[in-house]
Structures are given as C-alpha cells and as structure tokens.
Amino acid sequence: MNLKVIAFDADDTLFVNEPYFQETEQKFCALMSDYLSHQGLSQELFKTEIANLDLYGYGIKGYILSMIEAAMKISNNTISIEIIEKIIEFGKELLQKPIELLEGVEVTLEALKGKYKLIVATKGDLKDQQSKLHRSGLGHYFHHIEVMADKQEVNYQKLLARLEIKPDEFFMIGNSLKSDVLPVLELGGYAVHIPFHTTWEHEKINHNVEHPNFKTVAKISDVLEILM
C-alpha cells in the first residue's frame, strides 16, 4: 500500500453517538405512548426521518424536526404545544451530550500522527460535528475535517480531489459498511470496518463484504497492525 491519507469516521468510530439517539427515541416513544405502541412509534419516526433525509440531511437538528413532524402525523395534528416543547428539549439535550471517546482512539491517533496525513471524514450537521470534535480534544491530530452531506461514491470522489490524492492512497476507517466501506472500495481505496455494538437501521446492509482492500477489526487500535 502506498497510503498518504488515513480517514476516520467520527460517530461511533471515535466517540459514542448512536446510543444517545436510541435513548432519545425511547423518550419520544414514552412521550407519545397514548397514541401507538412503542414499535409503531419507532416505525413512524424512522419513516419520517428517511423521508426527510434529502431535505434536512443527517444530524440532530433534522432529527428534532422529524420527531415533531412524526408526532403531528401520529396524533393527527392534535398534540399540544407542551409536547412540541418537550421534543425540542430532547433535541437540545442530545446536542449537549458529553463526548465519550471509544477505547484505544487516542493511542491509535498518537501512533499514526506524523506517519500519515490524518483526517476526519464524517457526515451530519456541520456545527454539531465541529462542536463534538472540539469537545473531544482530538482536533490537533487531524490535518483536515470533512463534514460530508452524504457518504456515497461521488462524495468521496470530491474529497479525494480536494486532498489531491488517488483512491489507492486513501484508507478509510469506520463503523458503517454502507457509508465508510462500500463507496471507498468502489473507488479503489482501502477500508477497515470496526463494528459498533449498535447501528442505525439506515446504515445496515444485508450482505457480506469481500474485497482484497477490505478488513474487519475488533477495535480501533487493531488498525495499527495493518498500518505500522
């Protein structure tokens, strides 16, 4: 491998994210429990989120708007202003969750710093992701932080063009096969999957990945055996 850039996903690769969303969903379902079962509420919220992705993109602010919209649909526009205020409160709490680094992150970044150009390649709300990276204390490890509208092949093509590198000089590390692995492999880059114990339904795929440029590791520090 003639690698120049090592890219890290942020959420659930560098620090905890999805469990906070699941916790907020539990609060939403409890708040709306007079209208539907827990499963029914979760399904309606998920459908609303997916329908809104093209409009709002990924991130907490879009999630807040989707919770409000789902609550209005579920209640046939009869929910009180107090419920809407409560949903907004849930969203603000989500935006202010503490940053919990995953095991081995700093050791890994310290070992790779200076040997490769390290970047963050994540998706979501720009302000929120910048805030989380600032609060994580990891910012000084990275040459570049890219908050992408989405993580499809075309988005990675644009990123590689900005970095002025070829696909086979790029190595992506993340917890999502759909977003962090498959598009990079399609371009001819390298990718490592680090499974997280919980994954958003939208990020799941229903097939195995087999590719010479792909590996799965149990924890982030295992990438050092590949890169060092």
Side-chain angles (χ1 to χ4, degrees):
M1 293 187 292
N2 182 33
L3 299 173
K4 292 184 178 178
V5 173
I6 311 299
F8 293 83
D9 174 51
D11 294 332
D12 299 322
T13 299
L14 299 177
F15 37 70
V16 172
N17 179 65
E18 180 59 21
Y20 294 150
F21 275 87
Q22 292 187 351
E23 177 186 304
T24 303
E25 183 179 316
Q26 296 289 332
K27 292 178 182 177
F28 173 83
C29 290
L31 185 67
M32 299 293 296
S33 60
D34 288 344
Y35 296 93
L36 281 176
S37 67
H38 187 288
Q39 182 180 6
L41 291 164
S42 291
Q43 289 173 346
E44 286 301 316
L45 177 56
F46 180 71
K47 283 196 298 186
T48 306
E49 282 183 83
I50 300 307
N52 285 334
L53 279 180
D54 286 343
L55 189 60
Y56 301 146
Y58 296 87
I60 294 173
K61 292 170 188 173
Y63 185 63
I64 296 168
L65 290 170
S66 290
M67 281 194 290
I68 292 171
E69 182 180 339
M72 291 173 68
K73 285 180 184 175
I74 291 162
S75 68
N76 196 26
N77 296 325
T78 62
I79 55 168
S80 66
I81 191 66
E82 287 78 19
I83 287 181
I84 294 175
E85 287 175 342
K86 198 67 178 174
I87 291 171
I88 293 170
E89 182 183 316
F90 293 162
K92 288 182 177 180
E93 289 172 358
L94 194 52
L95 284 163
Q96 298 174 74
K97 286 290 185 182
I99 303 301
E100 182 182 345
L101 295 184
L102 295 175
E103 182 182 355
V105 166
E106 283 211 81
V107 170
T108 303
L109 294 175
E110 190 63 45
L112 295 174
K113 187 179 180 182
K115 297 178 175 63
Y116 301 94
K117 183 180 289 185
L118 306 183
I119 73 165
V120 172
T122 191
K123 64 184 178 184
D125 178 79
L126 177 62
K127 184 173 178 60
D128 180 42
Q129 292 291 18
Q130 287 179 334
S131 170
K132 286 194 287 189
L133 282 162
H134 173 72
R135 288 183 287 134
S136 74
L138 300 176
H140 65 99
Y141 288 109
F142 299 109
H143 174 271
H144 176 77
I145 295 170
E146 185 84 4
V147 181
M148 305 156 82
D150 204 346
K151 279 183 164 180
Q152 298 184 32
E153 197 172 331
V154 63
N155 305 99
Y156 283 103
Q157 284 175 331
K158 291 176 181 178
L159 173 60
L160 295 182
R162 278 193 286 277
L163 294 169
E164 298 182 324
I165 60 170
K166 302 172 186 176
D168 64 0
E169 296 171 327
F170 183 75
F171 188 100
M172 182 72 200
I173 299 168
N175 69 296
S176 171
L177 289 168
K178 182 178 179 180
S179 294
D180 301 319
V181 172
L182 294 179
V184 174
L185 296 179
E186 285 294 320
L187 285 173
Y190 293 85
V192 162
H193 179 227
I194 309 172
F196 192 61
H197 65 82
T198 183
T199 303
W200 185 30
E201 197 65 35
H202 184 61
E203 293 293 334
K204 294 179 180 179
I205 62 172
N206 58 7
H207 60 87
N208 294 327
V209 178
E210 294 185 9
H211 194 283
N213 292 5
F214 169 69
K215 290 184 183 296
T216 296
V217 298
K219 56 186 185 299
I220 196 167
S221 56
D222 291 342
V223 303
L224 297 178
E225 297 177 15
I226 301 168
L227 296 171
M228 300 289 284

